[in-house]
């Protein structure tokens, strides 16, 4: 298939970075279409680990084009730093291969401050955000006060927009939050320094993608976060501020929905979540601790310990429908190697009734009791397994049961963080 979308199926951190890096081998263009530096996508190459927050996970491959599209909110400070770090590591040699949409909205210093102040104040529920200014930046985009890359590139427009914004932002910061405001001059000076670097990469990325499609190039769309962090379909208000589902690939990058041929869902063999909000299969016990330790479940962006629990077929099944998943990549199967028994949640009990789809209200999420079936573990190390046939019988049974419950085929099985520990049953680009 020429164009493939990759999205998170749970609450993020499913292992998207690893799979996108792997699939980049088969793509010509890799596109980030939503979110910002709240993402933390880990790629392991040999004994090196690279964590990307903003740049597409295809950047470790020469001869590929990487795009930050219009749906992303871009922090210029993170952008400059990440570009420089990658160059220092010997990547990103050709500047023409990285592009940023001129329409991409910019994260401003007041966005980060407002993100932190809102979380600290406690008037609204604490979300446990990454503190990267994501929510306030998307708020400004939707309220038509946002500042885009194209605005930053023009000194006069940028100064005017900062001035207009600060009138309101300073009022809120000073009067409501009783904190220190910003000066236009300080911001225009600091952000003026990013003008040359952004000028180098800014372009009409939608046009580039249209031309690439016409030329039959292969495009890989890289989702960030996960379906249950989606602002519409997630566990609202405990979500991020963008649409993380496959439907946003089109709006977030300017390609028509009809140009996307395969949607690959990325899903852990168990479940994790960072930040606040409902999590039906969460284990606040020794088993949860074991999953965290075995899976190295600490946030790639904030370092926070991730909450851990068993595989939840109820949320996964729903996410597959929302995203129109063609195939699933089941990640971190090796993390379950040492467990005697492994549980799968196959339905919820809420107020004496059973459900095989997630509730709509947060209150119902809070009182839902996950119902489990138990399977025998395989108690062997599977990291070195290279073929599906060589997996232990009980691991195969676990995969088969998951497929049966969710009704979608498992296309990729990941048994370790590195590129080699990947069993590809169906390559989306070669289908
Ligand atoms: P992303 O945000 O979806 O890209 O995922 P993260 O990078 O935040 O978190 C996934 C973590 O799991 C990273 O540390 C990866 O290196 C690691 N990882 C990915 N696949 C596997 C796997 O199959 N097994 C193990 N043990 N670790 C994996
Ligand atoms: P990747 O792409 C996991 C969570 C935060 C918080 C909520 C809102 O690595 O999977 P935000 O800063 O976006 O306003 O925070 O969303 N969150 C993530 N959790 N993985 C991510 O990205 C996340 N990006 C945001 O922890 O609960
Ligand atoms: Mg992550």
């Amino acid at each position: 298939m020429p164009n493939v979308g990759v999205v998170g199926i749970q609450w993020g951190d499913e292992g998207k970075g690893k799979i996108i890096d792997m699939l980049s081998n088969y793509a010509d263009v890799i596109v980030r279409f939503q979110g910002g530096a709240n993402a933390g996508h880990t790629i392991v190459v040999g004994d090196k680990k690279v964590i990307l927050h903003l740049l597409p996970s295809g950047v470790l491959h020469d001869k590929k084009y990487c795009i930050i599209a219009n749906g992303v909110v871009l922090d210029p400070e993170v952008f400059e730093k990440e570009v420089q770090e990658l160059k220092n590591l010997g990547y990103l040699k050709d500047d023409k291969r990285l592009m940023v949409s001129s329409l991409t909205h910019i994260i401003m210093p007041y966005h980060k401050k407002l993100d932190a102040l809102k979380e600290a104040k406690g008037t609204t529920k604490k979300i446990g955000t990454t503190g990267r200014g994501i929510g306030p930046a998307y708020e400004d985009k939707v309220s038509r006060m946002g500042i885009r890359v194209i605005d930053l590139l023009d000194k006069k427009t940028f100064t005017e927009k900062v001035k207009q914004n600060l009138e309101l932002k300073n009022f809120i910061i000073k009067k409501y939050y009783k904190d220190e405001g910003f000066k236009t001059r300080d911001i225009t000076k600091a952000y003026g320094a990013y003008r040359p670097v952004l000028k180098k990469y800014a372009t009409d990325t939608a046009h580039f993608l249209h031309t690439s499609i016409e030329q039959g190039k292969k495009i890989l769309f890289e989702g960030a976060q996960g379906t249950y962090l989606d602002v519409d379909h997630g566990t609202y208000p405990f979500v991020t501020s963008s649409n993380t589902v496959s439907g946003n690939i089109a709006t977030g990058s300017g390609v028509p929905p009809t140009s996307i041929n395969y949607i690959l869902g990325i899903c852990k063999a168990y479940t994790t979540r960072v930040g606040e909000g409902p999590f039906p299969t969460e284990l606040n016990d020794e088993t949860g601790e074991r999953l965290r330790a075995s899976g190295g479940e600490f946030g790639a962006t904030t370092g926070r310990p991730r909450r851990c629990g068993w595989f939840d077929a109820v949320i996964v099944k729903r996410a597959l429908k929302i995203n129109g998943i063609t195939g699933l990549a089941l990640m971190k199967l090796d993390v379950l190697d040492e467990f005697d028994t492994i549980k799968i949640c196959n339905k919820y009990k809420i107020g004496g009734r059973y459900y095989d789809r997630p509730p709509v209200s947060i209150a119902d999420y809070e009182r839902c009791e996950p119902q489990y079936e138990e399977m025998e573990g395989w108690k062997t190390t599977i990291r070195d397994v290279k073929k599906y046939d060589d997996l232990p019988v009980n691991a195969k049974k676990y995969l088969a049961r998951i497929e049966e419950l969710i009704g979608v085929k498992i296309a990729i099985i990941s048994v370790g963080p590195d590129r080699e520990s990947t069993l590809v049953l169906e390559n989306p680009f070669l289908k």
Side-chain angles (χ1 to χ4, degrees), residues 12-18 40-44 49 268 294-296 300 306 331-335 383 414-417 421:
D13 301 327
E14 297 93 348
K16 300 176 291 294
K18 168 181 162 160
H41 295 177
T42 314
I43 303 166
V44 177
K49 182 160 133 176
K268 267 179 194 162
S294 168
R306 293 174 183 151
M331 311 298 292
K332 304 187 91 161
L333 189 63
D334 57 302
V335 172
R383 277 225 182 163
S414 178
V415 295
S421 309

Side-chain angles (χ1 to χ4, degrees), residues 379-398:
K379 305 279 283 175
T380 346
T381 309
I382 57 169
R383 277 225 182 163
D384 297 326
V385 172
K386 300 279 177 253
K387 295 202 304 277
Y388 172 83
D389 287 344
D390 296 339
L391 282 172
V393 175
N394 284 352
K396 284 185 195 155
K397 280 188 187 165
Y398 184 65

Side-chain angles (χ1 to χ4, degrees), residues 294-417:
S294 168
E297 296 296 354
F298 295 89
T301 298
T302 57
R304 291 177 289 179
R306 293 174 183 151
R307 299 156 64 192
C308 297
W310 294 120
F311 186 86
D312 184 344
V314 179
I315 64 149
V316 171
K317 215 158 66 177
R318 168 69 166 227
L320 302 180
K321 288 199 194 308
I322 292 171
N323 291 289
I325 295 299
T326 325
L328 196 73
L330 199 80
M331 311 298 292
K332 304 187 91 161
L333 189 63
D334 57 302
V335 172
L336 303 176
D337 278 355
E338 296 306 318
F339 286 83
D340 293 329
T341 53
I342 299 164
K343 288 186 184 176
I344 301 178
C345 164
N346 54 23
K347 53 183 160 321
Y348 293 165
K349 187 176 173 192
I350 307 172
R353 290 181 64 178
Y354 292 93
Y355 297 86
D356 67 353
R357 64 193 161 98
V360 179
S361 88
I362 291 292
D364 280 347
Y365 258 114
E366 298 295 358
R367 66 198 185 100
C368 98
E369 299 165 47
Q371 306 297 301
Y372 292 106
E373 57 189 65
E374 208 166 279
M375 303 195 67
E376 246 179 74
W378 43 93
K379 305 279 283 175
T380 346
T381 309
I382 57 169
R383 277 225 182 163
D384 297 326
V385 172
K386 300 279 177 253
K387 295 202 304 277
Y388 172 83
D389 287 344
D390 296 339
L391 282 172
V393 175
N394 284 352
K396 284 185 195 155
K397 280 188 187 165
Y398 184 65
L399 297 170
R401 182 61 185 143
I402 286 178
E403 271 185 337
E404 189 179 23
L405 281 168
I406 63 176
V408 167
K409 65 176 167 289
I410 294 174
I412 295 172
I413 302 157
S414 178
V415 295

